[in-house]
């Protein structure tokens, strides 16, 4: 009886110790996360940083003067945070210039024209100096080119008019399902003798803003490349309706873009060195480059300042990380991904041990949660942290993609993650002239920073 009593007493003591320890640990986590959110909402710097990037510098296309200004500014702000180390990582990037404003119209009868809003797609060749005027043919995606064949396409302008699917609640799924016509449309249409292509903007909203974005010609020779432009959703609907009434419509467009030789640019990097496990590196980042039509506030100025803010919030709350926390502002995500590839290349060469990477590149809207690229064991650990986020209305923890810039880091032992804000308004502004500072809500931006810092705090505390 005595031995039995002793065993029961020891078991009871162990249970008490177990729950006391984990209860104490959870209380610590709750307190630290509350400190992070409080600091983000009262002492954050991100909105001011974004104001400067957007309104004093503007669009930051790779290889541009504005991109270099953004590099200099963001480095100076990281220096002011008093981090353990701040540096620039050289990377060669493409330099594509839009040139003078594009112009387009369609002609229903000789002399009767309607102007439409277009913009050149990033990486496109120019039209001839006099522009291109030809009969236009509408298709609902790349696959229709095969059905129509060369006889119906040769000598014409192809109008890709496959819309984003409005029934998709995750608007990034709707984007993924039709963005191939933007990226590959010109290359595919040229095989059938098309003179140029016009692509419906990747936008769920009906408006007059054409949305640019990257496109490619694969290994196609310069002489075989045809110009490509995006057309606003309102203009696309008007053109489509007009073609149904009168199929022999002529379309005219002119653009003056040009591709130059690659130029040197930089990733901007800053870090707080870990106290007990400095060899283990946690990365948080966004891409510093943007398209040139707006000022890139949502894509991806927001992600950059949120990533910088993570380090600022740790300092504001007095948190001393165990592991090295590194912010990386990647260059050239939009039209080449050179910055992400260079960072991964240097990390590999230096035999660095990255355990976690988080990217914010989905706009500065209200955060809903995160997606994770990880094995099941690590994801189970991540899901155990979910209750800590519920008071802040962060509920979405799912396996999925992470971010384009951190993708090249991928290894079996590395967990990658992406911040997932509410996506319903993102494509209203994506790659368009209305992606501007006034479209970003300060509180939403700050909540995203706090969610990111909280997740990184937990990864730093518990590891994988």
């Amino acid at each position: 009886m005595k031995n039995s009593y002793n065993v029961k007493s020891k078991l009871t003591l162990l249970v008490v110790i177990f729950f006391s320890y984990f209860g104490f640990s959870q209380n610590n986590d709750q307190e630290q996360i509350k400190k992070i959110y409080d600091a983000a909402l009262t002492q954050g710097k991100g909105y001011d940083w974004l104001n400067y990037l957007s309104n004093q510098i503007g669009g930051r296309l790779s290889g541009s003067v504005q991109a270099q200004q953004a590099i200099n500014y963001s480095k100076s702000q990281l220096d002011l945070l008093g981090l353990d180390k701040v540096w620039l990582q050289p990377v060669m990037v493409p330099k594509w210039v839009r040139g003078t404003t594009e112009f387009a119209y369609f002609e229903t009868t000789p002399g009767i024209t309607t102007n439409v809003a277009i913009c050149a797609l990033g990486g496109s060749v120019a039209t001839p100096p006099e522009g291109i005027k030809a009969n236009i043919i509408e298709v609902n995606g790349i696959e229709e080119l095969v059905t129509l064949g060369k006889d119906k396409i040769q000598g014409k302008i192809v109008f890709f008019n496959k819309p984003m699917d409005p029934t998709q609640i995750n608007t990034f799924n709707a984007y993924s399902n039709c963005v191939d016509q933007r990226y590959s449309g010109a290359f595919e249409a040229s095989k059938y003798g098309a003179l140029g292509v016009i692509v419906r903007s990747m936008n769920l909203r009906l408006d007059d803003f054409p949305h640019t974005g990257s496109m490619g010609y694969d290994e196609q020779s310069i002489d075989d490349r045809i110009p490509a432009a995006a057309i606003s959703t309102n203009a696309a609907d008007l053109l489509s309706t007009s073609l149904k009434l009168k199929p022999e419509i002529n379309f005219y467009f002119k653009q003056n873009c040009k591709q130059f030789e690659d130029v040197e640019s930089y990733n901007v990097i800053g870090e707080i060195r870990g106290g007990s496990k400095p060899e283990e590196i946690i990365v948080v980042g966004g891409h510093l480059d943007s398209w040139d039509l707006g000022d890139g506030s949502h894509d991806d100025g927001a992600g950059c300042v949120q990533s910088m803010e993570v380090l600022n919030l740790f300092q504001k709350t007095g948190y001393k990380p165990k592991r090295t926390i590194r912010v990386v502002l990647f260059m050239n995500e939009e039209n080449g991904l050179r910055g992400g590839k260079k960072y991964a290349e240097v990390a590999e060469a230096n035999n660095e041990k990255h355990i976690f990477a988080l990217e914010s590149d989905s706009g500065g809207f209200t955060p809903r949660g995160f997606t994770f690229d990880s094995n099941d064991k690590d994801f189970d650990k991540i899901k155990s942290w979910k209750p800590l986020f519920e008071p802040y209305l962060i509920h979405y923890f799912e396996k999925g993609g992470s971010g384009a810039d951190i993708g090249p880091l991928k290894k079996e032992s590395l967990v990658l993650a992406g911040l997932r804000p509410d996506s319903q308004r993102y494509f209203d502004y994506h790659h368009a002239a209305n992606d501007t500072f006034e479209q970003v809500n300060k509180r939403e931006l700050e909540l995203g920073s706090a969610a990111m810092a909280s997740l990184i705090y937990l990864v730093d505390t518990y590891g994988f």
Side-chain angles (χ1 to χ4, degrees):
M1 285 293 292
K2 186 175 182 181
N3 287 340
S4 174
Y5 176 79
N6 287 339
V7 169
K8 288 180 179 178
S9 297
K10 288 177 181 178
L11 285 172
T12 302
L13 181 62
L14 285 173
V15 169
V16 170
I17 291 171
F18 177 85
F19 282 105
S20 296
Y21 171 77
F22 283 98
F24 176 71
S25 175
Q26 186 179 48
N27 286 341
N28 276 355
D29 294 338
Q30 290 171 340
E31 289 173 9
Q32 179 58 31
I33 290 172
K34 179 68 164 61
K35 286 180 184 178
I36 288 171
Y37 269 85
D38 288 351
L41 295 168
T42 60
Q43 303 177 67
K45 293 178 179 287
Y47 194 67
D48 291 336
W49 286 331
L50 184 61
N51 184 11
Y52 191 94
L53 278 175
S54 300
N55 293 321
Q56 301 302 315
I57 295 175
R60 305 170 296 279
L61 193 56
S62 290
S64 68
V65 171
Q66 291 83 0
Q68 185 59 48
Q69 289 173 338
I71 290 164
N72 296 340
Y73 173 70
S74 54
K75 181 181 183 299
S76 73
Q77 296 308 300
L78 290 176
D79 283 331
L80 289 174
L81 291 181
L83 306 179
D84 292 319
K85 186 179 179 183
V86 178
W87 72 101
L88 300 181
Q89 185 177 74
V91 55
M92 297 301 292
V93 300
K95 182 179 176 66
W96 178 83
V97 175
R98 181 173 301 281
T100 55
T101 304
E102 302 87 345
F103 177 71
Y105 64 79
F106 63 86
E107 185 179 62
T108 49
T109 55
I112 306 298
T113 63
T114 302
N115 292 354
V116 291
I118 70 159
C119 66
L121 293 178
S124 175
V125 296
T127 61
E130 68 277 11
I132 293 175
K133 184 177 181 181
N135 187 231
I136 189 164
I137 184 168
E138 180 179 353
V139 299
N140 189 39
I142 288 175
E143 59 280 357
E144 282 195 21
L145 298 175
V146 180
T147 305
L148 290 170
K150 197 166 186 177
D151 288 345
K152 293 185 178 179
I153 293 173
Q154 189 164 19
K156 296 180 181 178
I157 295 170
V158 172
F159 169 35
F160 288 99
N161 194 33
K162 183 179 181 180
M164 291 176 65
D165 181 359
T167 67
Q168 293 282 348
I169 303 304
N170 182 341
T171 61
F172 283 87
N173 290 339
Y175 176 76
S176 297
N177 289 339
C178 62
V179 74
D180 61 332
Q181 63 188 343
R182 188 195 74 198
Y183 188 81
S184 303
F187 173 67
E188 296 297 335
S190 67
K191 297 177 183 178
Y192 298 91
L195 299 180
V197 300
I198 303 297
V199 182
R200 183 188 184 91
S201 286
M202 304 293 107
N203 181 10
L204 282 160
R205 185 172 70 175
L206 291 175
D207 61 29
D208 296 314
F209 293 101
H211 294 230
T212 192
S214 63
M215 55 85 64
Y217 294 106
D218 202 358
E219 297 299 319
Q220 195 174 42
S221 69
I222 296 292
D223 292 340
D224 292 332
R225 297 178 181 183
I226 61 175
I231 186 170
S232 74
T233 48
N234 272 340
D237 281 357
L238 177 61
L239 179 58
S240 180
T241 300
S242 300
L243 280 167
K244 289 177 175 61
L245 295 172
K246 195 162 188 177
E248 299 304 315
I249 285 175
N250 282 325
F251 193 90
Y252 171 87
F253 74 111
K254 181 180 179 180
Q255 56 192 42
N256 305 281
C257 37
K258 184 175 181 180
Q259 188 77 48
F260 292 87
E261 293 295 320
D262 290 355
V263 300
E264 187 175 60
S265 190
Y266 303 91
N267 292 328
V268 183
I269 308 173
E271 69 179 27
I272 299 174
R273 189 163 175 79
S276 58
K277 296 184 177 182
E279 74 285 356
E280 294 188 4
I281 299 170
I282 295 171
V283 162
V284 58
H287 64 86
L288 193 53
D289 65 305
S290 75
W291 287 107
D292 55 323
L293 296 177
D295 57 46
S297 287
H298 276 299
D299 188 18
D300 185 31
C304 287
V305 301
Q306 286 175 327
S307 300
M308 295 165 66
E309 190 78 280
V310 169
L311 276 64
N312 180 48
L313 293 175
F314 283 172
Q315 292 184 320
K316 292 290 185 186
T317 59
Y319 179 69
K320 306 294 184 185
K322 298 177 182 179
R323 297 166 171 86
T324 294
I325 313 296
R326 184 178 289 174
V327 60
V328 185
L329 309 182
F330 298 94
M331 183 53 64
N332 184 233
E333 186 272 348
E334 293 292 7
N335 59 337
L337 205 63
R338 303 277 186 88
K341 292 176 180 177
K342 174 57 72 172
Y343 180 82
E345 175 190 318
V346 173
E348 180 74 21
N350 291 340
N351 199 30
E352 293 180 337
K353 183 181 180 182
H354 288 72
I355 69 160
F356 182 69
L358 169 64
E359 184 162 0
S360 173
D361 186 18
S362 300
F365 303 100
T366 304
R368 300 300 190 201
F370 304 91
T371 51
F372 299 90
D373 184 352
S374 71
N375 60 41
D376 290 339
K377 180 182 177 183
D378 290 336
F379 187 55
D380 285 342
K381 175 177 257 190
I382 290 164
K383 286 192 294 185
S384 74
W385 302 332
K386 189 176 176 181
L388 292 166
F389 288 89
E390 288 174 355
Y392 306 98
L393 305 182
I394 301 295
H395 62 276
Y396 186 79
F397 283 63
E398 299 290 339
K399 278 196 169 186
S402 54
D405 295 290
I406 60 176
L409 280 170
K410 185 173 181 179
K411 288 183 177 179
E412 189 174 346
S413 60
L414 177 63
V415 177
L416 303 178
L419 177 69
R420 293 294 169 244
D422 188 306
S423 70
Q424 303 312 312
R425 291 170 289 152
Y426 182 66
F427 289 99
D428 295 353
Y429 311 111
H430 185 245
H431 298 175
N434 61 340
D435 183 6
T436 53
F437 180 70
E438 58 268 24
Q439 308 301 337
V440 177
N441 178 278
K442 181 175 182 288
R443 186 172 177 85
E444 290 180 327
L445 182 76
E446 292 165 346
L447 288 169
S449 302
M452 293 166 67
S454 298
L455 179 62
I456 288 175
Y457 155 73
L458 291 167
V459 172
D460 179 59
T461 301
Y462 299 105
F464 291 112

